[in-house]
Amino acid sequence: MRNLDSQETYLSDMSGLALELRDLVGSGPNPDQAYLPPYGVVGFGEGWWAARLARRWLNHELTPQGTQFVLEGGYDLGEALGAGLYAEAGGAQIVRLGLHENDEVIVAASALSPYRYLRFLLLATGQPDELARVDQALLAEREHLRPEVFTDRNPAKFLAYNLLERVPLWVVSERYGGLAAALQQTLARIGKSLSITPPPSGLEFFVTALEGSFPGDGEVAKHQQGNELAAVVIGDDERTRLAVEILEPRVDTVIELPKPPVEGLLAESLVYWYRVAWASYYLALLKGIDPGDREDLANLREAT
Amino acid sequence: MRNLDSQETYLSDMSGLALELRDLVGSGPNPDQAYLPPYGVVGFGEGWWAARLARRWLNHELTPQGTQFVLEGGYDLGEALGAGLYAEAGGAQIVRLGLHENDEVIVAASALSPYRYLRFLLLATGQPDELARVDQALLAEREHLRPEVFTDRNPAKFLAYNLLERVPLWVVSERYGGLAAALQQTLARIGKSLSITPPPSGLEFFVTALEGSFPGDGEVAKHQQGNELAAVVIGDDERTRLAVEILEPRVDTVIELPKPPVEGLLAESLVYWYRVAWASYYLALLKGIDPGDREDLANLREAT
């Protein structure tokens, strides 16, 4: 097995994603004007999660007045340009953020662009204190996750070793909204790996989807679906505790990610995402794959 | 391998789920009064999908006037009883549908209860024609899916054979909203099997999550994640066509479910769901497992 504390393992990082991960805080476009409220935000492609997070402090998806932010984010097949969207926006100022040179705000394609979309929205809608909380939390977290920190004190490396040869099943408290799907997307984009998010009725799913692998049920075929699963648990409420109880005998391992020492759902969500982004980076290295984007993804963006 | 055209295979169906599947249309509670508009609907547990479907014709999640439907659906840890919910409902009449004896409308726990919640809502909100379209479509579909119809003309049996020893990856057109997660839940509940739904940026996910298994990339480790995947494709738009193009070289098999000969998103959604419910039933039989609920699920409902 490759060693994450050995320099030669990092030769696979041909695109230098470690530097982009390290220098994430503060990166991305800055607003160069004041935008009028009320604010609406919709997001597609790389921008969907930032748009969903922004709805914690912005009430509107579509606004007929003020400013309508459209996070295009690529892969959207022109949906972001849909006539319906702009008709509903009415007299609002439209601000498109995305990959295209005629967008008002350019956000380069990247696995890490969710942070950059979110950062722009926080600044553009008058939430600098919230952004400062997020940035401070990410900088503090970075000190634990960097390549220079050895595995025994690096939770991202530890997670990566645990996800090698296993399929993660994301068990995320509902208070974090779309985080599970964001982690699924990030593990794919950087770690080149599949993972599973449960449907809304998650506890029922955990009981039934892995039923065949429950120990001690003599008659039932042991189809052992849970054998290669790693449940990755985020959040600590009654629902996630019950999920752990259900999953422990059914999956190969349960990994509970510790709560970051920060205040606020937005900062917490971003810290979990950043941690999994680093873990995805290490997972790709453990597989000997470049964690950066490959050409077929650029081709897909061209085609959509 | 077990044979779905042989009677002895059906001995595993100890709870008689085939009868419940066959007699689904028209089952469930009927409204015994007229409910005042406007209508709001929220759903939890077994009721989440019906609530989401109902938002196609009901605009409100929460309404302070008229009638607030609350689909409790079990496994909700009291969320459906949350004080906030009822405070927001204000002066509206509250109609709780669910498993509890003090609910206004009792809907017994069942893998098939999404139909019953939906049926009640259609009747209670003055949509009998829409329900008739759904029912007619389901009855027509049933004639192809029943155990008496041999595998060579039975698409549900065909799908079940194809899902044995494979993990389904649901590729569902966005026009069907929450259908992918509903199918993931149903395959687990009846078929006792795991499946995968993609995050909102699905095309990016399909390219990256299976990157290592793409043929012809000499240097990259072939970790072969796609080897046991079956992409199950529903809908025929530009996005699903692109998904098929991306997935074909990356997964073991691509199964495109034919569009049912019905009009309307609601009827189409229900037909796809019904088809997968039957396929899940056959999949459990192929594994020699009872497709009915097990005791641990009832225990979970007690605990939540």
Side-chain angles (χ1 to χ4, degrees):
Chain A
M1 192 193 290
R2 290 180 182 82
N3 180 352
L4 290 173
D5 296 336
S6 147
Q7 280 204 324
E8 65 186 17
T9 303
Y10 291 82
L11 294 175
S12 305
D13 181 13
M14 287 180 286
S15 48
L17 189 62
L19 299 181
E20 200 188 336
L21 278 161
R22 189 194 66 187
D23 299 336
L24 180 64
V25 169
S27 69
N30 292 303
D32 60 2
Q33 55 173 288
Y35 297 104
L36 288 180
Y39 304 114
V41 60
V42 289
F44 305 86
E46 294 179 3
W48 74 264
W49 188 48
R52 198 175 301 178
L53 286 171
R55 281 197 220 113
R56 291 178 199 279
W57 78 93
L58 303 177
N59 286 321
H60 304 288
E61 215 171 332
L62 296 171
T63 176
Q65 296 147 14
T67 310
Q68 174 70 54
F69 296 102
V70 180
L71 317 185
E72 295 192 346
Y75 324 104
D76 70 303
L77 294 165
E79 260 175 64
L81 290 164
L85 172 65
Y86 293 109
E88 284 196 67
Q93 182 189 359
I94 308 288
V95 181
R96 290 169 304 156
L97 291 80
L99 321 172
H100 304 296
E101 57 184 27
N102 56 348
D103 285 337
E104 281 78 10
V105 180
I106 308 285
V107 182
S110 161
L112 305 182
S113 56
Y115 165 82
R116 296 180 185 130
Y117 283 107
L118 184 78
R119 177 175 177 277
F120 183 93
L121 289 173
L122 285 165
L123 291 172
T125 64
Q127 307 287 328
D129 295 347
E130 186 72 58
L131 176 60
R133 261 196 299 279
V134 169
D135 281 352
Q136 209 171 13
L138 292 178
L139 287 173
E141 185 71 14
R142 184 178 74 175
E143 293 315 301
H144 305 288
L145 306 179
R146 292 187 305 158
E148 296 79 7
V149 181
F150 282 176
T151 299
D152 57 349
R153 283 166 296 125
N154 189 322
K157 289 184 180 179
F158 178 81
L159 183 56
Y161 278 112
N162 271 289
L163 297 186
L164 194 63
E165 310 287 329
R166 293 195 181 107
V167 176
L169 172 60
W170 302 108
V171 181
V172 178
S173 165
E174 290 181 4
R175 63 200 295 262
Y176 298 115
L179 179 61
L183 300 181
Q184 185 187 35
Q185 183 175 338
T186 299
L187 189 79
R189 179 81 174 255
I190 302 177
K192 324 299 175 192
S193 296
L194 269 180
S195 60
I196 301 176
T197 51
S201 190
L203 295 178
E204 178 199 317
F205 177 75
F206 299 141
V207 167
T208 56
L210 299 166
E211 204 160 275
S213 60
F214 195 60
D217 53 5
E219 291 170 78
V220 173
K222 295 256 189 294
H223 51 100
Q224 309 282 357
Q225 292 195 78
N227 257 8
E228 52 177 25
L229 288 182
V232 183
V233 182
I234 291 177
D236 179 29
D237 53 22
E238 194 181 348
R239 191 177 293 278
T240 51
R241 279 194 296 272
L242 262 167
V244 169
E245 212 176 286
I246 293 168
L247 288 168
E248 235 153 20
R250 288 170 164 86
V251 299
D252 193 23
T253 186
V254 174
I255 304 160
E256 298 187 54
L257 298 193
K259 187 176 174 310
V262 297
E263 285 298 316
L265 277 176
L266 204 61
E268 284 176 49
S269 297
L270 266 288
V271 166
Y272 283 124
W273 168 78
Y274 192 49
R275 210 183 273 171
V276 169
W278 275 104
S280 304
Y281 169 79
Y282 293 124
L283 181 60
L285 295 183
L286 284 176
K287 294 179 177 184
I289 305 178
D290 181 358
D293 287 348
R294 302 254 304 286
E295 200 183 348
D296 47 7
L297 203 59
N299 295 342
L300 174 65
R301 280 194 298 271
E302 284 292 309
T304 52
Chain B
M1 192 193 288
R2 289 179 182 83
N3 180 354
L4 291 172
D5 296 336
S6 150
Q7 281 203 325
E8 65 186 18
T9 303
Y10 292 82
L11 294 175
S12 305
D13 181 13
M14 287 181 287
S15 49
L17 188 63
L19 300 179
E20 200 188 336
L21 277 162
R22 189 193 66 187
D23 299 336
L24 179 64
V25 169
S27 70
N30 292 302
D32 60 3
Q33 56 173 285
Y35 298 104
L36 288 180
Y39 305 113
V41 60
V42 289
F44 304 86
E46 294 180 2
W48 74 265
W49 188 49
R52 197 173 303 178
L53 286 172
R55 282 197 219 115
R56 291 178 198 280
W57 77 93
L58 304 177
N59 285 322
H60 304 289
E61 216 170 332
L62 296 171
T63 176
Q65 297 148 15
T67 310
Q68 175 70 54
F69 297 102
V70 180
L71 317 185
E72 294 192 346
Y75 325 104
D76 69 302
L77 295 165
E79 262 176 61
L81 290 164
L85 173 64
Y86 293 110
E88 284 197 64
Q93 182 188 359
I94 308 287
V95 182
R96 290 170 303 155
L97 291 80
L99 320 172
H100 304 297
E101 56 185 27
N102 57 348
D103 286 337
E104 281 78 11
V105 180
I106 308 283
V107 182
S110 162
L112 305 181
S113 57
Y115 165 82
R116 296 181 185 127
Y117 283 108
L118 183 76
R119 177 176 177 275
F120 183 93
L121 289 173
L122 285 166
L123 290 172
T125 63
Q127 307 286 328
D129 296 348
E130 187 72 59
L131 176 60
R133 261 195 299 278
V134 168
D135 282 351
Q136 209 171 13
L138 292 178
L139 288 173
E141 186 71 15
R142 184 179 74 175
E143 292 315 301
H144 305 288
L145 306 180
R146 292 187 305 160
E148 296 80 6
V149 181
F150 282 177
T151 300
D152 57 348
R153 283 167 295 127
N154 189 321
K157 290 184 180 178
F158 178 81
L159 183 55
Y161 279 112
N162 271 288
L163 297 186
L164 194 63
E165 311 286 331
R166 293 197 181 106
V167 176
L169 171 61
W170 301 107
V171 182
V172 178
S173 164
E174 290 182 3
R175 63 200 297 261
Y176 297 115
L179 179 60
L183 301 181
Q184 184 187 35
Q185 184 175 340
T186 299
L187 189 79
R189 178 81 174 254
I190 302 177
K192 323 299 174 194
S193 296
L194 269 180
S195 60
I196 301 177
T197 52
S201 190
L203 295 179
E204 178 198 317
F205 177 75
F206 299 142
V207 167
T208 55
L210 300 166
E211 206 161 273
S213 62
F214 194 60
D217 52 6
E219 293 169 75
V220 173
K222 295 258 189 291
H223 52 101
Q224 308 283 356
Q225 292 195 78
N227 258 8
E228 52 177 24
L229 287 183
V232 183
V233 182
I234 291 177
D236 179 29
D237 53 21
E238 195 181 348
R239 191 178 294 277
T240 50
R241 278 193 297 274
L242 262 168
V244 169
E245 212 176 287
I246 293 168
L247 288 168
E248 235 153 23
R250 289 170 163 85
V251 300
D252 194 23
T253 186
V254 173
I255 304 160
E256 299 188 53
L257 297 193
K259 187 177 173 309
V262 297
E263 285 298 317
L265 277 175
L266 204 61
E268 284 176 49
S269 297
L270 267 287
V271 166
Y272 283 123
W273 169 78
Y274 192 48
R275 209 182 275 171
V276 168
W278 275 104
S280 304
Y281 169 79
Y282 293 124
L283 181 60
L285 296 183
L286 283 177
K287 294 179 177 182
I289 305 178
D290 182 358
D293 287 348
R294 300 253 304 285
E295 201 183 347
D296 46 7
L297 203 59
N299 295 342
L300 174 64
R301 279 193 299 270
E302 284 293 309
T304 53

